[in-house]
Amino acid sequence: MFSKGIVLAFLLLLTVPFSAFSQDLTVSGSVMDQQGGPLPGVSILIEGTSTGVITDIDGNYSLNAPGTSVLVFNFLGFESQKVSVDNRSTINVVLRESFMSLDEVVVVGYGSMRRTDVTGSMVSVSSDAIEKSVPTSIDQVLQGRAAGVQVQQNSGAPGSSSSIRIRGVNSINATNEPIFVIDGVVIDGNSGSSSNNPLASINPSDILTMDVLKDASATAIYGSRGANGVILITTKRGEKGMARVTYDGYMGYQEIPTRLDLMDLRQYAEHKNERAEANIVNDDSFFIDPSILGKGTDWQDALYQRAFMQSHNLSVSGGSEKSTYALGLGYLDQEGIAIGSGFERITLRGNFDSQVKDWLKAGVNFSLSNTNQVLSIGSDNANNDTMIKTAMKQTPNVSVRNAEGTFDGPDDNMYVQTNPVGLASIRENDRERLGIRSGIFLEATLLKGLTLKTELSSDFNMNNEYRFTPSYRFGALSNDVIQSERVKTYSKYWSWNNVLNYTRTLNEVHSVNAMLGQEMQESQWEYLYGYRSGFLNNAAHDLNAGDGTTSQANGNSGQHAMMSYFGRIFYSYDDRYMLTTTLRHDGSSNFSEDNRWGWFPSAAVAWRISNESFLRDNLIVSNLRLRAGWGKVGNQNVPSYAYTSVMSSVTTVWGTGQLAGNTANPALQWETTQSSNLGLDVSLFQNRVEFIADVYHKKTDNLLLRLPLPAYMGSQGQGATTPPWANVGSLENKGIELTLNTVNVDRGGFQWRSNLVFSLNRNKVVELDTETSTLDVTVQEGSEVTPVTRTVVGKPIGQFYGYKVIGRFNKGTDFYYKDANGQVKEVARPEGIGIAESGVWIGDYIFEDVNGDGVINDSDRTFIGNPEPKFTFGIGNSFAYKGFDLSVQLGGSFGNDVINYQRRWLENPRENHNLLVSARDYARLGVVDANGPENDYRNLEVVGGADDMYRLSASSSNANNRMSNRYVEDGSYLRIQNISLGYNLPRRWVEQIGMENAKIYANLQNVYTWTKYSGYDPEVGAHQQNALLSGVDNARYPSPRIYTLGLNLTF
Amino acid sequence: MKRNNYIKALGLSLVLAIGISGCNDDFLDSTPNDQITLENYFQNNAELQAATAPLYSKVWFDFNDKFYYALGDGRGNNLFAPYSDYIYPFTNFTETSLTGPMVSAWAAFYNVVGQSNNTINNIRNFAVNVTEDQKNLAIAEARFMRGVAYWYLASLWGDVILIEDNAAMVNNPIVPTNPRNDVFEFAIRDLEFAAKHLPETTGQSGRLTSWSAYGMLSRVYLSYAGLHGNSDPNSGTRSAEYLELAKKAALKVAEESGLELNEDYAALFTLEGNNDPEHLFTLNWVGGSTEYGITNTQQAYFAWNSEITGDDAAWGYYTYASWDVIRTYEAADQERLHATFATNGAFYPELRKEDGGYTYEETDRCNVKKGVVGSSKDTDGVVQRMNSGATTKMLRLAEVYLNLAEAILGNSASTSDAVALEYFNKVRTRAGMPTKSEISYSDLHYERRVELAMEGQYWYDLVRRAYYKQQEVINYLNNQERAVQYEFENGQYVAGDANTAQQVATATESMLLLPYPEGELVQNPLLRQDPVPYVFNEERINLFE
C-alpha cells in the first residue's frame, strides 16, 4: 500500500508549482471510509488558510476554493489526506484508517501532550480494548494489554479486587497498588482486602482512555504518591456535532471452568473404611458395603451454578461550536458462579464543557455510582470463613437438602463441616456503596499561549454493610443465636488545584511548554458499627428487631491532608530533541512537622532520530525515537498519626480503660523510589509496525514498614502496642518491557493486526534494617499458624519458605545411610520422634536436613519457591473483514510458583473431611517376608500408591503435610483470555431505520487455560493485597468463564 | 479579550497562592478524634485507674484463650484432647517453637510486661494533678501484673529478657536474656513493691489488694525456694530463707486479711462467684460482649455441644479429663469432681435451665465443667458467643493456705505443725473431705492438683518440684499413662486402649522448659546464647521487719 503513498507524494510535488495562477470555484463531493460508508464530521481545509468546512451526516461537503489549491482532509482515527483541486468541481475522497496516530494526545498529569513528545515511559489502553472484553471493573482491562503492568485478580468473585503491579513490587508494606486519577480525582487502588475493590464502582464503558505512567520521570509529577505508578483515566466527553445516542448491552452467563477431582460417596466410603482399619476413626455402619452406594452429594455441583450476567449502557453526547456534553447511564448485574455471591452496579454520569467567553472555558463533570456486592459465600471479616473451602471439605454422605426441602447437614457435630450451600444461601452479607464524584473547572487564556486552570474536585463515598446470621439447623449443626451487624462508613475527599500553563513556539523550532501548579487535598473518613443479637426469628434483620441489651457499637474516624507545589518544563528543539523536567514539593499530614515536606524531581530526554535530515524522508522508518529518563518519587502510605503516641481504648468491667496504642516514630518519612528508564520507539512502514522497548532500574529506599519487632517487645496479639512504622531498607526492581504492534495484512478489505506485550521484572531486597533482615508472613488455618513466605536480603520479596521433601522411607534400609567415611548413620527424622508406627515409619516423607544436624526441626526450613514470574506476556490478534471483526487475546505468565495450600489438607489421607481423589494414592505398605513380623520396619516396604504420596497413619508425628515444596507448583500458564466476534450490520440496512451504526457481538472470556497447576486457577494474585503473600492459593474463588452476546446501536 | 480580565485573574490567583502558602502547616496539622494522644492523658486519678484497668483483661487474652488450660492442665496431664492441636502438643511433649498457643502466650506475657511498663513510665513522666500515693498505687497494680507475668516466663522458659522500658528499647531490641534466678528476683521485687503500696480493700470488686500481692508472693517465694542457692536440681532441698518468706507472706494473708474460704466450692466458679472474696487475683472479662480481646473464650473450647452454649461455638467434645486425673480423685472427693469435670449422670441445674437442668450422659469421657457456665439464656445475656463472662482464676485463698502448709513442711518428709494443719484442713473440710493430722508432700500434691484442677496451675506445681527433685518429676511424667482412653462401666470408670491419634514423646529434662518461639529466635539470635546477669537498680523492700 505504501507504493500508492509514493505516487501521491510525487503527484503533490508536481502540482505545487502551478498553484499560483488560479480562480475560485465550487468544489463538492463526498468522503467515505474504506468500506464505502460515509464519514460525517471530516474537516476539510484549504491548505495554508483557515478556510474550511465539515462533512454532513452523509459525508458530503461543498466549498469554494481556488482551482489550484490543495484540500486537506482530516478526521480523527484516519490518515489525513491532501488532494489538489486541479480545477475539478467534484472530488470524492476515501480516507484510510490510520494504524497508529503519532499526533494522538495523551494525558500526562495536570496536562496533556502529543504522544510523540512524551519523554517518559507510558502506555495507553483505549476504549477499544474495553469493548473487546467483558470487564466488570477497569483493572481487568489492563490485563495482558500493557507491558510492565501485571494484573492478577485476587479472587474470581464478582466485584472483587485485583493486584496491579507496575514494574514489580516496589514496597514491602501492604500497598503496592498504583494510584488512579479519574478526571483529576485521585482514587487509591488499595483496599487491603481481596473482596473489596474500590475500582468496582467505575463503569468501564465510561472510559475513553487509560494512560499508565510507569517510570519515575513520568510519575514524579504525582510526587509522594507516584512510586507505585499512576493510572490516568479519562472518561468520555462530548464532541462537536449532532447528538449521538449509543446503546451498548450484553447478556450472558458464566460458569466455573474447571473442577477439582474430589471423592464421591463410594470413594469416600471406601477410604473411610480404610481409615477405620488404620484406627483413625470408628467403623461407619453405613459404609459396610461401599459398592452399593451411589455418587452422593457433589458439593462443587451444589455450590457452583451457571450464573447470569447482563450489562446495559446508554449514552448521549454531542455539542455545538461552543459547548459539548456527554451523559451516560449504566447497569451491570453479575451473579456469582458460587451461590451467595454477586455484584450489581448502577452508574450515572454527565459532563458539560463550554467556551463561555472567548478567553474562558468552563466545565463540570459528575458521576454517581451505586453498587451492591453479595458476599455471603464468605468474607474477609472476622474469620475468613469462605464457603469455597467448606465445599471442598464437605463429605459426599451429607445431603444438601432433606426430604422436606430444608437444608440438611451432618449427623453429628464434632469435626464436621457446615452446609456451605445452606449457609451461603441464608445468611446475609451485603456491601452497598454509593459514590459521588464531581469536579468543576475554569480555564482562562490570559495571554496567547498562557492559560490558568483552576479545578475543584470531590469524591464522596458511603458504604453500608449488612450482615445477618440467622438461626438454623443443618442436621446436627445448629445455631440459636441470631445476630445482626450493620456498618456504615463515610468518606469525603476534595482537592483544589491551580495550574498555569504556557505554550510557545519560537522561530518554528523552539517549542516550550511550561506548567506551574499548586494543589491542596484533604480526605476524611468515618466508621460506625452496630450489633445486636437476641432476635426472635429470622424475619426482620435490622438492629431494632434485636435485643437492646445485647447492643454493641463502635466507631472511629481519620483524616489526611496534603499540600503540593509542582511544575514541569518541556522543551523541544525542531521536533528532534526533547527535554522534560518536573519538580514536585509535597507536604503530608502523615508525617511530623520536621519530616513533612519532600522534593520529587525528574528529568527525561528524547531524541527523535527519524526527524533528523538523514531519516526524515526515509520510506521505511516512519518514527525512531530514543528516550532516557530519571526521577524520584515517594510512597507515603502509612496510617495517620504513626509519628505520635496515642492511647487505645479498651472496654473493661470498670468502664473504659486506656492502653498505650502504639510506639511512635517521630522520624518517620517518605519511602522514596528512584528509577531510571531507557526507551526506544520505532515505527516502520508508515506505522504498520510499531515497536516499543523499555529497560528500567528502580531502587526504593527508606522502605516503609511496620517494624517487625520481636514479640517480647509487647508488639503482638491482643493488647499489644502496635510497633512503630519505620523506614527500614531498600528494594530493587529491574526489567525489560517490549511491545510490538503490527498490521500483518491489509488487503481487499481484510485486515489482520497483532499486538504483543512482554514484561520481565526482577525484584531483589537490597537491604533490610531489621536486626536480622528477615520478614516472615504467616497463614492461619484453624489454630495452626504457619510461616509461608520469608523475605530476606539478596532475594526477591515473599519467597515461599518451608521444608524440602527429598524422598520417602520406602524400605527399612532407607532409615540409614553411609557417610563419606563409610560410617552408617541415621537419616534425619523430626526431633524426638523415633522409628515407630506412631512415629516415623515406612511410607513417610524424608525431609532435607538443611543444617545437617541430624534432626529435622524448624531450622531445616528453606526457600522452596518464588512467586515472581520469569516473564509475563500478552498476545492479541484481531481480524476485520467487511462488517466482521474477530479478536483473540491471549495472556500468560511463565516461571512463577504457586502454593496450592489447600492440598495440605485435601490430599492428607488421614483427614476426616472430603479429599481429593489423589489422596487415595497414599503409600501402601506390605511385608517383605510373609512369615516375618508385621510390625517391624525392617520387614516392611512400600508396595503401592503414588510415588510422591505418604502413608495413611493414625499418628501425624512425621507431619507429612507440613509446609513443604510438595505443595509448591509451577504456576506458569497460557490462557485464551478473550475471543470476541462482532458484526456491523451493513449501513444501508441500518440507515433505513434511522440508525448510524448497529453491531452485534459475542464474547468469550477466560476461554481456556493451559497449565500444569492442579488447583482451580494458576492466577492467584495476592492474599489481602499483601505483596508478601503473592501466589498463595488457599481456596481462592475461581474466576468464571463468561459467554456473552451483545448489541451496540448508535443513533 | 479584555486585558484587565486576565490581570484580575492573575491577581486573584497570586492572592490565593500566597494565602494558601501561609496556612501550609495549619492545613497539614491534624489531631485524632478517635484516640487520645499521650500528651492529653494522665491528667487525674480517674485516668490513672483507667490506665490500669485493661491490665486485668485484654493484655492476658491470648494467654487465657488456650494456653492457660492447655499448658497449665494439659501438660500436667489433667486434660486430654487428642484432636485439638492447641492442647495435645503440650500433653504429648511434642510442642515446637511454632506451636500456636505457646507463641501467643509468650507474646501475651510480654504484652503484660510491655503495657505495665508503659503504664508505669507514663505515670512517672506525665501524670499531673495526682498525689504520690495515687501514683504509687497505680504503679503497684502495674508492677504486680509485670511480676506475675515474669513468674510465668521464668517458670516456663527459664532465662528470658527483663524489660523495664519498652520505648527505650525500640531502637535496639536485640538484647541477651537474663538468668532465671534474676527473673525470679525481678518478679519478687515487683510483687514486694505491690504488697507495700496496694490497699487492703478497694472500692472496685476484682481490683488488686495488698493481700493479692502477699498471696502471690507466697507462691513465688515457694517456687524460688527450690532455686535459690541450689545448683543441683536433684538436691532434694529448698532454701530455708525463701521457705520462711513464703510462710510469712502466706501467714500474713491467712491471719491478717480477715478473708475466709467460701463455704461452697462450686459457687466460686459460677458467675455470681466471679469476684468472691476468696479470689485474690482474677482476670476480669466483660460479660455480655462479643468483642474479641475482652472476652473469656474458654467455655467455647470446653463445651461439648451446642446445647450447652446455645450457639455454634462449642468445640470441646474431645477436650476432656485425662484418665490420670479421673483415677486420682478419691471416691469421697465428689464435690470438687462435680464442679471440675462432668461425670456420667452428673446433674447441673444451671445448664439448660429451660429444660429444668442438664444431666451429663457421656460414657467414654468426662468433659470439662469448670469454666462452663451455660448459655446466653441461662445467664441473662452475660454469656455470648465465645464469651462466658466468667473471671479467670489466677490466685485463690485456698492456694495460699496450701502454700502456707507447703512452706511449713519445707524440707521435712512430713509435718504435724498446728498452723499448717489448720489451714490445710480448712481446704479439705470445705470440700467435704476428712481432715488430716499429718501432712506429707504427697498429701499436698493431691490436694493442690484436685483443689486447683482446671485452674491452670498443675504444671507449675510440677515445675516447682522439679527445681529440687527433677528426676522424680520426670519419672512421674513418664508414668502418667497419657493418651489412655476410658469407659464408664458398672458405675465406675475403667481404663481402655491408648488413643493412637498422636504420639506421646518421652519426657526428658529439656521438656521442663518450653522452646523460645521461632519468630523470636529468628529475630534475636542472642536468645540461643548464655544469659547475662541483670543489673538491679532498686533496693529490695523488706516487708517483714
Side-chain angles (χ1 to χ4, degrees), chain A residues 488-490 524-529 553-559, chain B residues 32-35:
Chain A
K488 308 257 169 205
T489 62
Y490 167 72
Q524 287 166 15
W525 58 91
E526 284 171 27
Y527 164 90
L528 191 61
Y529 168 87
N554 203 349
N556 57 49
S557 65
Q559 62 226 336
Chain B
N33 282 326
D34 55 347
Q35 286 171 312

Side-chain angles (χ1 to χ4, degrees), chain B residues 293-310:
Chain B
I294 58 170
T295 54
N296 189 349
T297 54
Q298 291 179 7
Q299 168 166 283
Y301 296 102
F302 294 159
W304 50 94
N305 66 36
S306 299
E307 278 192 304
I308 306 296
T309 57

Side-chain angles (χ1 to χ4, degrees), chain B residues 260-499:
Chain B
E260 291 291 340
L261 297 183
N262 188 318
E263 283 172 14
D264 180 3
Y265 180 78
L268 293 168
F269 309 103
T270 61
L271 292 179
E272 293 71 35
N274 255 348
N275 278 313
D276 182 275
E278 182 179 334
H279 294 305
L280 294 174
F281 174 32
T282 51
L283 301 180
N284 283 261
W285 308 102
V286 184
S289 174
T290 55
E291 189 185 322
Y292 199 73
I294 58 170
T295 54
N296 189 349
T297 54
Q298 291 179 7
Q299 168 166 283
Y301 296 102
F302 294 159
W304 50 94
N305 66 36
S306 299
E307 278 192 304
I308 306 296
T309 57
D311 56 44
D312 66 319
W315 307 305
Y317 187 88
Y318 283 120
T319 297
Y320 53 90
S322 68
W323 166 240
D324 187 53
V325 78
I326 288 300
R327 67 176 175 178
T328 296
Y329 275 90
E330 288 172 12
D333 225 333
Q334 284 306 310
E335 219 175 301
R336 290 191 287 202
L337 179 60
H338 184 268
T340 312
F341 296 109
T343 51
N344 186 277
F347 176 71
Y348 296 103
E350 71 272 27
L351 305 180
R352 300 296 298 177
K353 279 181 185 162
E354 62 200 280
D355 302 339
Y358 180 88
T359 305
Y360 185 80
E361 284 165 350
E362 308 295 335
T363 56
D364 57 348
R365 60 204 143 87
C366 301
N367 283 101
V368 179
K369 174 60 178 64
K370 211 181 259 184
V372 173
V373 297
S375 68
S376 188
K377 284 179 192 159
D378 294 331
T379 59
D380 285 333
V382 173
V383 166
Q384 291 291 321
R385 187 177 186 279
M386 289 187 77
N387 184 12
S388 67
T391 56
T392 300
K393 283 58 180 170
M394 300 289 277
L395 177 70
R396 284 200 283 123
L397 187 61
E399 186 202 331
V400 179
Y401 288 174
L402 296 176
N403 290 343
L404 176 60
E406 189 175 338
I408 292 172
L409 174 72
N411 292 320
S412 328
S414 64
T415 181
S416 309
D417 179 275
V419 177
L421 281 173
E422 179 194 349
Y423 288 102
F424 180 77
N425 283 328
K426 276 192 181 190
V427 175
R428 287 191 50 97
T429 312
R430 188 261 303 269
M433 294 293 284
T435 59
K436 297 215 171 195
S437 54
E438 190 180 24
I439 314 166
S440 67
Y441 173 74
S442 67
D443 292 330
L444 274 166
H445 181 178
Y446 173 85
E447 209 56 40
R448 291 190 78 99
R449 184 178 192 187
V450 168
E451 173 71 23
L452 303 172
M454 295 315 299
E455 290 176 58
Q457 286 299 322
Y458 187 45
W459 175 252
Y460 305 93
D461 290 354
L462 298 174
V463 167
R464 175 183 309 150
R465 179 80 171 166
Y467 289 155
Y468 59 100
K469 291 205 168 177
Q470 191 181 80
Q471 198 52 49
E472 175 198 299
V473 172
I474 291 169
N475 295 344
Y476 170 77
L477 292 172
N478 286 325
N479 290 321
Q480 269 189 310
E481 296 202 37
R482 289 171 187 246
V484 168
Q485 300 175 122
Y486 52 92
E487 195 74 35
F488 189 70
E489 277 171 21
N490 306 323
Q492 60 173 345
Y493 285 94
V494 293
D497 294 337
N499 180 303

Side-chain angles (χ1 to χ4, degrees), chain B residues 501-512:
Chain B
Q502 309 296 333
Q503 194 186 31
V504 179
T506 305
T508 60
E509 183 194 334
S510 71
M511 284 158 189
L512 293 169

